[in-house]
Amino acid sequence: PKVNPKSVAVLPFDNFSPNLDDEYLSAGFTEVIIANLAKVKELMVISRTSIMQYKDTKLSLKEIAEELNVANILEGSIQRTENKIRVVGQLIEAKSDQHIWSETYDEDFNDIFSIQTSIAKEIASALKTQITDAEKLVIEEKLTDNIEAYEMYLKVKELRREELRTSGKIRKELLKKIVDIDPQFAEAYALVALEYSEGVHYGYSENIERSKKKAKMMIDKAFELKPDSPEVRFAYGYYYYGCHKDFLKALKHYEYALKQEPGNAEYNAYIGFAYRRIGDGSKTIKFLEKALELNPNVAHLYYEIVGTYLFFREYEKIDLIK
C-alpha cells in the first residue's frame, strides 16, 4: 500500500540511566509518546506492540520503515540521574535518511509530563500537521501530579505486557498503592477495573461475582473523576464487554475512547470485536483492518482478521494477508 507521508514509528527509547531498573521508565516513556501522537487524527502511528521487536535491532531505519510501511522514524534515549532527566529525540525521514526534527531536553524529573507533551506537538508541527484545540487538551491532560504514583503506574503497565495471570497479584498491589498515594488518579482506578474485568472475561477470576462488583466500583470511580479520559472509557467499555457481554454498551465507550485517540490500534481492534459479536461484518472488517495497519507485527490480529473474512465469506481478501 501507498506510504502515508504523515506516518510515524516510534522506536523503543534507549535507557541510558545508571540504574538498570529504570528500563520500565524508557519503555513507559515510549508508550506515552505513541499514545500522544495517536491522539492527532491526521497522523498514522504504529502501535507499541509492533515496534518492540526493533529494540536493539541491527536493521537500518529504512528497512524498519519498509517493514512497517511508514515514512518517518522517531528514535531517542532517556537518562535519569537522581532528580534530573535528559531526553534526546530525533525524527528521521526513512527514505532520504534526513533529520526532520531533533531536540534535547534537560529538565527536572517532575517535568517529564511537559517533555512528553512537547515532543508530540513538535513532531506534529515537523510533519506539517495541524493539532486541533481539542487534541491539544487531550495531549496536555496529565495523568497525575504525583510523580511517585506515575512511576508505579508505568511499572504496572509494563507488568501487563507479561502473561496476564502471572503478575496479577503484584499489579493489583501496586495499583492499590497508587490510589492510596493519589486518590484522584482516574486512570489507575480504570486499570484496576480492567484487571478484574479481564479475570471475568478470560475465566481466571476465583470469584466471578466479586470481580464484577470490584470492576464496577472501580470504573464508576474512574468515570466520576475523569469521564473524558480515553483510558477510562476503554476500561468502561471492557467492563460491559467482559463482565456482561453487553456489546452495544461496550461500543458506546469504545467509540468515545477512539474519538479521543483515533490512532489507537487496541481501541480499533476492540470496536471490531464488538461489531463482530453483534454480526456487523462490514464494520468488523473496517476496524480490524485499521487495527492491523497500526499494529502489523502481532500474530493474533492476523488470526482474528482471517477468521473474520472466513466467517463473513470475504474469501478474496484472505489472499491479501501475507
Side-chain angles (χ1 to χ4, degrees):
K2 185 178 179 181
V3 178
N4 183 340
K6 295 187 179 182
S7 56
V8 185
V10 182
L11 297 187
F13 272 55
D14 293 320
N15 173 39
F16 289 160
S17 302
N19 187 351
L20 294 179
D21 290 339
D22 278 344
E23 188 67 38
Y24 75 88
L25 180 62
S26 60
F29 191 91
T30 303
E31 181 174 6
V32 172
I33 296 301
I34 291 171
N36 281 345
L37 290 172
K39 291 166 185 169
V40 182
K41 189 175 182 178
E42 287 188 32
L43 296 179
M44 178 221 166
V45 189
I46 298 297
S47 170
R48 179 183 184 274
T49 312
S50 283
I51 58 92
M52 288 309 294
Q53 72 179 58
Y54 299 109
K55 186 173 178 63
D56 302 321
T57 183
K58 293 182 180 179
L59 292 176
S60 68
L61 295 185
K62 186 175 182 180
E63 289 171 324
I64 295 171
E66 287 176 352
E67 287 190 4
L68 296 172
N69 197 44
V70 296
N72 308 286
I73 300 285
L74 173 66
E75 60 178 5
S77 63
I78 184 168
Q79 179 177 356
R80 177 164 71 165
T81 307
E82 297 179 350
N83 67 332
K84 294 290 184 180
I85 187 170
R86 164 173 280 200
V87 177
V88 178
Q90 54 185 1
L91 182 67
I92 300 165
E93 183 183 60
K95 186 177 180 179
S96 64
D97 201 31
Q98 296 295 310
H99 284 66
I100 302 173
W101 167 88
S102 63
E103 189 61 79
T104 299
Y105 302 87
D106 287 298
E107 306 288 350
D108 291 335
F109 186 72
N110 287 352
D111 291 327
I112 189 171
F113 303 111
S114 63
I115 296 173
Q116 293 165 341
T117 300
S118 294
I119 289 176
K121 289 180 177 177
E122 290 178 26
I123 287 175
S125 176
L127 293 176
K128 298 178 173 56
T129 301
Q130 183 67 38
I131 300 181
T132 67
D133 290 339
E135 289 168 346
K136 284 181 183 177
L137 286 175
V138 180
I139 291 171
E140 292 171 354
E141 183 75 51
K142 290 173 67 174
L143 297 183
T144 175
D145 289 318
N146 189 299
I147 201 68
E148 181 184 1
Y150 180 66
E151 284 193 75
M152 293 172 70
Y153 182 75
L154 292 182
K155 288 181 181 179
V156 173
K157 298 276 277 187
E158 283 309 297
L159 286 170
R160 283 179 56 79
R161 305 292 173 193
E162 302 173 5
E163 173 64 34
L164 282 176
R165 301 184 189 211
T166 58
S167 61
K169 185 177 179 181
I170 298 172
R171 295 196 306 268
K172 286 175 183 175
E173 288 174 355
L174 282 171
L175 286 165
K176 185 179 184 302
K177 289 180 182 178
I178 291 169
V179 296
D180 285 343
I181 294 170
D182 182 3
Q184 304 301 306
F185 198 156
E187 286 80 5
Y189 287 107
L191 208 48
V192 178
L194 194 58
E195 292 276 347
Y196 283 109
S197 296
E198 286 170 341
V200 173
H201 182 60
Y202 292 112
Y204 59 78
S205 172
E206 295 178 358
N207 187 321
I208 296 295
E209 291 306 315
R210 179 178 176 273
S211 292
K212 286 182 180 180
K213 289 178 181 178
K214 281 277 192 178
K216 185 64 165 68
M217 180 174 67
M218 290 295 143
I219 198 57
D220 281 346
K221 179 64 176 177
F223 188 75
E224 176 188 338
L225 289 169
K226 200 182 290 185
D228 293 331
S229 163
E231 291 94 336
V232 170
R233 296 302 287 266
F234 175 75
Y236 216 146
Y238 199 100
Y239 164 74
Y240 283 115
Y241 187 98
C243 293
H244 298 287
K245 305 300 180 278
D246 190 332
F247 308 117
L248 292 177
K249 285 186 178 177
L251 272 171
K252 174 184 174 184
H253 292 287
Y254 285 163
E255 288 174 339
Y256 187 95
L258 188 65
K259 181 182 177 183
Q260 298 291 82
E261 198 172 313
N264 187 299
E266 186 177 30
Y267 299 167
N268 275 283
Y270 273 88
I271 290 173
F273 297 152
Y275 274 119
R276 188 169 62 187
R277 293 276 194 164
I278 61 177
D280 190 327
S282 61
K283 287 186 178 178
T284 300
I285 290 170
K286 171 188 172 183
F287 285 101
L288 288 186
E289 285 180 342
K290 183 62 177 178
L292 190 61
E293 178 187 13
L294 297 169
N295 205 1
N297 286 338
V298 177
H300 83 83
L301 270 179
Y302 287 91
Y303 172 83
E304 293 286 355
I305 202 164
V306 168
T308 299
Y309 289 153
L310 287 170
F311 184 81
F312 291 109
R313 301 183 180 182
E314 296 281 354
Y315 305 123
E316 73 284 354
K317 288 196 171 189
I318 295 175
D319 289 336
L320 300 176
I321 299 294
K322 296 181 180 179

